[in-house]
Amino acid sequence: MSIIWILISFTYLSYLHGACIIFILSIASVNFLFVKIFARTKYFSFVFWIFNIFFLLCNRVYEGYSFYMIGQRWAYLDNFRGTFRWHICFNFVVLRMISFGYDYHWAHRDSHFDHKKHIQRCDICKSGKTCYQSLQERGVQNDKFSFMTYLSYLVYAPLYLAGPIVSFNAFASQLDVPQNNLSARDIAWYGLRWVFSLLLMELMTHLFYYNAFAISGMWKELHPMDVFIIGYGVLIFMWLKFFLIWRYFRFWSLICGIEVPENMPRCINNCYNLETFWKNWHASYNKWLVRYLYIPLGGTRRKLLNVWVVFTFVAIWHDLEWKLLSWAWLTCLFFIPEMILKSAVNAFQVESTHGEFVVRELSAVAGAITITCLMVANLVGFVIGPSGISWLISQFLNREGLPVLAGMLLTFYVGTKLMFHIHDAKQSSS
């Protein structure tokens, strides 16, 4: 099965990258040897991260390298680099290389995953099927950690360009036993819903000009209310764009029998805190970060410190740009009061109806502020850049902007209360 997928994927890669397959195979092979040699050593995690971040940065700095760097006789291969810059999507390959390394490293240690307890709590596993967490945590047999399976995992065609991200354990365990959680009818309906979403994107592209205003810089000449509408519209457009990309590749993977996490399980308009937003935006990447970075760093015991490391890595992983680092550090700053507030709420024992009402109202206010901060962080990271922060603040803290800011917070407050009611309705129905 692995050989078949390698042949399919390399046909795909030869079109995308041409002669640059040499670079991809070289880095992947070096990583495989590194894991096999050092996986059982004491300092594996530290050296392994340095090793992979080094390649991640070098790929960007040298723009995917050139064959003439190897020697003049190889320079002619630079004319056959394919249709797509290989080092852009190689960021996803780096995540898979880290996943393979850690899963192999943990395969030689005692597992803390209690499968029996998990089945008692998991509705999917209770029904006789196998959920993604179970596939990921149970591990696979040693013979699955072969070079062929590793290579088919790295260049698996349906997920190669953009994900969603699947762990090595979950991928390897489905090669011989394809997923059975979704029937052919479910997969067909999933694809049809994707077509409807594509039609919605076409309508937005032709009828709404949020991105045109943002890219051209014309938003600087507009009223604060218009800036708010355009900023919110850009985020909705961005959400739908990634929704289409990730669901297309997940649909392709499901057809091939490999189930991967859903990247957009919840709409952006149904997230009122940062933790919920990140769990439901690039959800598969969030699962990856929690498993391979957040938990090894200490998890919730060092949460205030860990978020800085995690989001800095996320920014560097996306690209080497100051605006992305600004976005990451702004997000961390906004995370801190949310974490403190959550800890305070959990510690506060509500014993009366009045107390529940106060906590709920304060949570709604906090949700409105969080949504506003989330908008600012994403606009800085993906639209206006760090230099636009002072301009954005000045626009909303003047005579014209303050009423707009108040109306925006009130709107988000009402929206957060609505999200609470939706959550309560789901809880009561289940």
Side-chain angles (χ1 to χ4, degrees):
M1 188 69 179
S2 299
I3 296 173
I4 294 171
W5 269 118
I6 289 172
L7 291 173
I8 294 170
S9 298
F10 268 81
T11 304
Y12 182 49
L13 262 66
S14 64
Y15 169 74
L16 290 176
H17 305 316
C20 291
I21 291 177
I22 296 171
F23 293 127
I24 297 168
L25 279 175
S26 300
I27 298 173
S29 301
V30 171
N31 180 78
F32 181 81
L33 290 173
F34 182 93
V35 170
K36 288 291 185 177
I37 294 170
F38 296 103
R40 303 189 189 191
T41 61
K42 185 178 180 181
Y43 303 104
F44 170 76
S45 294
F46 177 73
V47 180
F48 187 56
W49 272 103
I50 292 175
F51 176 83
N52 279 279
I53 289 175
F54 170 77
F55 276 115
L56 184 68
L57 296 177
C58 283
N59 293 345
R60 286 289 187 173
V61 170
Y62 293 102
E63 291 292 322
Y65 315 106
S66 296
F67 283 97
Y68 80 86
M69 294 172 65
I70 304 173
Q72 194 60 40
R73 70 174 66 182
W74 300 95
Y76 75 95
L77 290 174
D78 288 323
N79 298 319
F80 306 98
R81 295 183 69 89
T83 60
F84 196 82
R85 292 177 297 165
W86 72 270
H87 59 284
I88 300 298
C89 51
F90 196 78
N91 287 10
F92 287 95
V93 177
V94 169
L95 299 183
R96 294 181 199 116
M97 292 196 305
I98 293 172
S99 177
F100 170 81
Y102 263 112
D103 285 357
Y104 182 72
H105 173 64
W106 288 329
H108 298 95
R109 297 188 171 199
D110 294 333
S111 175
H112 298 290
F113 181 65
D114 191 333
H115 187 61
K116 291 182 179 179
K117 187 179 290 185
H118 171 77
I119 291 176
Q120 293 173 357
R121 291 182 291 185
C122 179
D123 293 332
I124 296 174
C125 293
K126 277 181 185 177
S127 65
K129 298 177 181 178
T130 308
C131 72
Y132 177 80
Q133 186 182 0
S134 181
L135 290 172
Q136 177 177 263
E137 299 293 341
R138 277 191 313 184
V140 292
Q141 296 175 346
N142 281 332
D143 62 327
K144 291 292 184 184
F145 292 98
S146 65
F147 185 72
M148 284 296 180
T149 307
Y150 164 75
L151 203 56
S152 65
Y153 170 59
L154 294 191
V155 298
Y156 177 56
L159 307 179
Y160 177 77
L161 278 178
I165 302 157
V166 59
S167 71
F168 177 80
N169 282 347
F171 175 83
S173 60
Q174 294 181 84
L175 285 177
D176 296 330
V177 183
Q179 69 85 24
N180 62 351
N181 292 338
L182 283 84
S183 64
R185 184 178 180 180
D186 293 332
I187 296 171
W189 175 239
Y190 186 87
L192 187 60
R193 288 177 63 190
W194 181 87
V195 172
F196 290 145
S197 302
L198 179 63
L199 293 175
L200 176 60
M201 171 62 89
E202 283 295 307
L203 282 173
M204 286 186 67
T205 305
H206 287 86
L207 300 178
F208 301 100
Y209 308 117
Y210 304 123
N211 285 331
F213 279 110
I215 293 170
S216 66
M218 286 184 65
W219 43 271
K220 291 184 178 181
E221 311 297 328
L222 301 176
H223 187 272
M225 176 60 79
D226 299 320
V227 173
F228 160 59
I229 293 170
I230 289 169
Y232 194 74
V234 167
L235 294 180
I236 295 296
F237 188 89
M238 192 187 303
W239 179 85
L240 184 57
K241 177 183 74 173
F242 287 119
F243 175 94
L244 286 167
I245 292 170
W246 286 324
R247 291 212 173 186
Y248 171 79
F249 290 119
R250 183 172 186 262
F251 177 57
W252 184 5
S253 183
L254 286 171
I255 292 172
C256 298
I258 304 289
E259 184 184 4
V260 297
E262 182 69 87
N263 261 348
M264 294 291 197
R266 184 184 291 187
C267 179
I268 189 175
N269 290 318
N270 195 19
C271 300
Y272 54 86
N273 60 51
L274 289 170
E275 188 174 350
T276 304
F277 173 81
W278 288 114
K279 283 182 178 179
N280 292 281
W281 178 267
H282 200 164
S284 66
Y285 190 24
N286 179 75
K287 291 179 187 292
W288 186 96
L289 289 167
V290 169
R291 177 172 169 80
Y292 299 109
L293 187 56
Y294 181 72
I295 291 176
L297 283 171
T300 53
R301 290 184 289 110
R302 300 171 184 166
K303 194 171 184 179
L304 284 172
L305 177 63
N306 288 347
V307 291
W308 293 90
V309 179
V310 169
F311 275 96
T312 300
F313 171 76
V314 171
I316 293 172
W317 177 81
H318 275 89
D319 207 347
L320 291 174
E321 292 185 7
W322 276 113
K323 70 176 185 179
L324 287 172
L325 284 171
S326 302
W327 159 80
W329 295 335
L330 271 175
T331 303
C332 293
L333 280 175
F334 298 149
F335 243 124
I336 292 171
E338 180 178 302
M339 287 188 287
I340 294 172
L341 184 63
K342 275 189 175 181
S343 298
V345 169
N346 291 334
F348 180 67
Q349 298 294 324
V350 179
E351 297 180 355
S352 64
T353 306
H354 177 71
E356 288 182 5
F357 173 78
V358 171
V359 169
R360 196 176 181 89
E361 291 301 308
L362 288 175
S363 299
V365 172
I369 295 170
T370 300
I371 294 169
T372 305
C373 293
L374 195 59
M375 279 186 63
V376 171
N378 281 284
L379 288 173
V380 169
F382 298 100
V383 181
I384 63 177
S387 60
I389 297 176
S390 58
W391 176 89
L392 192 65
I393 293 172
S394 65
Q395 281 294 99
F396 284 94
L397 293 182
N398 59 28
R399 185 178 296 178
E400 288 185 337
L402 282 173
V404 176
L405 181 61
M408 182 169 65
L409 289 170
L410 180 61
T411 303
F412 292 150
Y413 165 80
V414 174
T416 304
K417 292 292 290 287
L418 183 60
M419 291 182 222
F420 289 165
H421 289 300
I422 292 170
H423 177 74
D424 292 343
K426 286 183 177 178
Q427 289 288 99
S428 60
S429 64
S430 61

